[in-house]
Amino acid sequence: MKTRSSTPPALKSEMAIPAGTGTPFDDDKLREECGVFGIFGHQDAAAHTALGLHALQHRGQESAGIVSYDGNRFNTHRNLGLVGDIFSSQKVMDSLVGKSAIGHVRYSTTGETLVRNVQPLFAEFAFGGLAIAHNGNLTNALTLRRELVNRGSIFHSTTDSEVLIHMISTSWANTVTNRIVDALQGVEGAYSLVGMTENALYGVRDPLGVRPLVMGKIDDAIILASETCALDIIGADYVRDVEPGELVIIDDNGIQSIRPFAAAKSRLCVFEYIYFARPDSVVDGTNVYEARKRIGAQLAIESPVDADIVVPVPDSGNPAAMGYAEQSGIPFELGIIRNHYVGRTFIEPTDSIRHLGVKLKHNANRAYIEGKKVILVDDSIVRGTTSTKIVEMVRAAGAAEVHMRIASPPTLHSCHYGVDTPDSDKLVAANLDLEELRKHIGVESLAYISMDGLYRAMGQEAGRDPAAPHYCDACFSGEYPISLSDLDSGAGTAQLSLLAEQNG
Ligand code: SF4
């Protein structure tokens, strides 16, 4: 039997975290707030975790952390910044000893308040150490937090993960697994989480499977990750998706699967296919790149236009633009070039220079634009700020006409399931009708893919059937598949928005 360190706290290192790093320029996208990774039973557990997080960097660029367990104690390193910077030091990697580890990347706002929220979170409770990292949002976290605080819990962070930790630690169930089940049955929301104790790695998806989580294998080690691209980077084989509502426990005895929740229809986030997931990932059996091309092709069927070239707004518009070009027979051209080296700030992101971000990131390829009728394809429009600047740029490069095609329905509603979304008064499509938005962006024509078209592109020939929806599409439809208890209760709006901002 393995023993615990007798000298609490069990964290070997908890380094000071500088404030002020981060991604400065709003590129006008919804932001996936987190990616998770866990591995059990590999001598290079921390190195594989760092590589996995590197592959998941698109899910969060503001902070990252790893907790490993070496058979005696938990070791941790967390910081603000990119994975490649945080885990570049051999000394840091050497400190993350052990055959099991979990890691996390996170998108959030910058600032000192972030320090205590960087995941994975770690705590000691009656059964030993417990580390948790999660992607998503608990929609009754505020309610639970208040109850826990009233019962004497003291919170260190504002993350949902800590709510879960407290629920696990205060459960009266007789085993760690039963306590986790007990805690999960009390929470509502959309989440994929990985947890690690001294003996096991845990992975769980919410009952509707809104956020993705896959299982892989390398040698004899089992891996859990937000996306398959995190398996590919370390040469691991994909085993299967963790099912919606499934809790997997991986320990020396193998893999155990538990279903703590009542059976429910899956409602995976459709935005994973539109924008969040990496195009080389396979989400719920569907290659993301392929899905995006099909969405672009469907867009061409629904909203054709006479033009000379199809130009993606890179990089996220690339696959849909390719699909549009293939379907329409209009040549695909990289008429906008993206600078990939502006990820982090070298000047402060004040409002007065924020608009420059578009020009720092994109430049029109004049030789291919001048005199042409251009179809610009983007995955979504959120605030509309980037679209306006991109169109200005393309016109300045001499485009004869500019037509905009969007590979998602209008984003009309906020996401409450772990994605950073502006309030609806900042969502441009919620405030302008199509013609007003066309004028606002400054294009000859503007069209979004229809909701039915999106579902057709995802393989549902009949389009969106409300009786059998396969996805969460609440940011388009306003139909939220999971209750929004904290919001509906109307309590503590300011505190709620703070929590939403700081969760992952
Ligand atoms: Fe995804 Fe939109 Fe649903 Fe949020 S509301 S989980 S972004 S589909």
Side-chain angles (χ1 to χ4, degrees):
M1 186 171 164
K2 290 173 184 167
T3 56
R4 286 202 292 127
S5 163
S6 59
T7 53
L11 295 182
K12 193 190 278 181
S13 69
E14 184 71 62
M15 68 173 296
I17 299 173
T21 56
T23 306
F25 298 117
D26 166 27
D27 56 1
D28 200 11
K29 300 291 179 193
L30 299 189
R31 292 185 187 271
E32 179 69 74
E33 292 196 345
C34 295
V36 297
F37 187 96
I39 183 166
F40 183 87
H42 200 288
Q43 59 185 7
D44 297 322
H48 282 337
T49 304
L51 287 166
L53 294 181
H54 181 67
L56 297 173
Q57 187 78 85
H58 58 289
R59 297 183 79 86
Q61 296 98 49
E62 300 258 340
S63 68
I66 294 176
V67 176
S68 70
Y69 181 66
D70 62 15
N72 185 41
R73 61 193 300 161
F74 290 85
N75 315 290
T76 187
H77 186 80
R78 308 179 303 160
N79 207 341
L80 301 191
L82 297 174
V83 174
D85 297 330
I86 296 169
F87 298 105
S88 59
S89 141
Q90 193 57 47
K91 191 173 163 203
V92 166
M93 293 311 298
D94 287 346
S95 73
L96 294 168
V97 187
K99 289 188 171 182
S100 56
I102 65 170
H104 190 259
V105 288
R106 180 163 183 269
Y107 167 73
S108 177
T109 54
T110 58
E112 200 55 43
T113 54
L114 186 69
V115 172
R116 57 204 171 113
N117 292 328
V118 178
Q119 297 188 39
L121 294 188
F122 174 84
E124 290 268 13
F125 74 128
F127 288 82
L130 172 68
I132 280 186
H134 96 285
N135 167 214
N137 188 42
L138 304 186
T139 52
N140 64 342
L142 185 57
T143 306
L144 294 172
R145 188 184 176 94
R146 282 183 177 153
E147 286 170 13
L148 287 159
V149 168
N150 285 340
R151 285 182 1 223
S153 291
I154 299 170
F155 278 79
H156 181 66
S157 78
T158 56
T159 67
D160 292 357
S161 301
E162 194 172 3
V163 171
L164 263 173
I165 283 176
H166 279 278
M167 291 187 70
I168 293 166
S169 75
T170 56
S171 164
W172 290 105
N174 57 350
T175 65
V176 178
T177 298
N178 287 344
R179 284 189 175 208
I180 290 173
V181 167
D182 197 25
L184 290 172
Q185 286 172 337
V187 304
E188 299 167 358
Y191 53 85
S192 282
L193 69 87
V194 292
M196 183 176 66
T197 62
E198 291 156 15
N199 302 311
L201 173 68
Y202 293 82
V204 65
R205 284 176 79 189
D206 68 77
L208 305 190
V210 174
R211 306 257 72 91
L213 189 66
V214 296
M215 185 187 296
K217 193 166 194 253
I218 183 168
D219 303 326
D220 292 327
I222 298 296
I223 295 155
L224 299 170
S226 293
E227 292 181 36
T228 58
C229 63
L231 306 177
D232 296 338
I233 195 171
I234 57 171
D237 294 324
Y238 166 79
V239 175
R240 66 179 178 87
D241 283 37
V242 175
E243 300 283 324
E246 181 183 15
L247 168 65
V248 291
I249 303 124
I250 298 139
D251 60 19
D252 288 337
N253 298 316
I255 303 168
Q256 188 190 351
S257 171
I258 292 178
R259 302 278 178 170
F261 313 105
K265 275 190 180 137
S266 162
R267 298 294 295 271
L268 177 68
C269 166
V270 76
F271 234 114
E272 291 286 347
Y273 293 107
I274 293 166
Y275 174 69
F276 298 142
R278 239 171 67 162
D280 52 336
S281 283
V282 176
V283 177
D284 200 19
T286 300
N287 176 269
V288 173
Y289 175 77
E290 201 41 56
R292 285 179 194 165
K293 279 184 76 176
R294 288 201 308 265
I295 293 169
Q298 179 67 30
L299 190 53
I301 292 168
E302 290 184 359
S303 300
V305 59
D306 175 31
D308 300 313
I309 54 173
V310 177
V311 171
V313 177
D315 292 327
S316 54
N318 290 356
M322 292 176 88
Y324 193 104
E326 277 179 19
Q327 177 67 38
S328 64
I330 299 171
F332 172 94
E333 297 290 0
L334 292 176
I336 299 170
I337 302 302
R338 180 177 166 186
N339 183 339
H340 288 265
Y341 304 100
V342 292
R344 287 201 295 164
T345 183
F346 55 92
I347 43 180
E348 285 299 309
T350 60
D351 283 348
S352 59
I353 56 90
R354 195 178 289 272
H355 71 283
L356 288 176
V358 175
K359 286 181 182 163
L360 288 171
K361 198 166 182 179
H362 296 112
N363 192 31
N365 194 354
R366 177 178 281 274
Y368 282 82
I369 297 282
E370 200 160 19
K372 302 273 177 45
K373 291 189 276 187
V374 176
I375 303 171
L376 280 179
V377 179
D378 205 351
D379 59 273
S380 57
I381 298 178
V382 181
R383 294 178 185 82
T385 48
T386 297
S387 305
T388 309
K389 298 291 176 192
I390 292 267
V391 170
E392 276 174 15
M393 185 188 298
V394 170
R395 285 208 187 280
E401 293 177 13
V402 184
H403 304 268
M404 182 77 98
R405 295 293 178 268
I406 304 300
S408 62
T411 306
L412 301 172
H413 307 274
S414 298
C415 175
H416 299 287
Y417 301 142
V419 173
D420 181 41
T421 330
D423 292 337
S424 56
D425 63 342
K426 301 267 182 3
L427 293 171
V428 71
N431 294 283
L432 300 178
D433 67 25
L434 192 66
E435 176 57 15
E436 289 169 336
L437 185 51
R438 181 193 71 73
K439 285 184 187 154
H440 176 74
I441 291 172
V443 288
E444 269 75 16
S445 73
L446 168 67
Y448 290 83
I449 193 168
S450 68
M451 187 75 98
D452 278 335
L454 175 63
Y455 274 79
R456 279 194 194 102
M458 295 306 302
Q460 296 186 29
E461 274 311 306
R464 184 180 190 267
D465 176 359
H470 288 195
Y471 301 102
C472 173
D473 54 26
C475 47
F476 311 127
S477 66
E479 294 172 22
Y480 292 93
I482 302 169
S483 59
L484 307 174
S485 298
D486 286 340
L487 259 189
D488 293 344
S489 73
T493 307
Q495 194 177 352
L496 192 65
S497 59
L498 175 69
L499 290 174
E501 182 178 87
Q502 296 182 338
N503 278 328

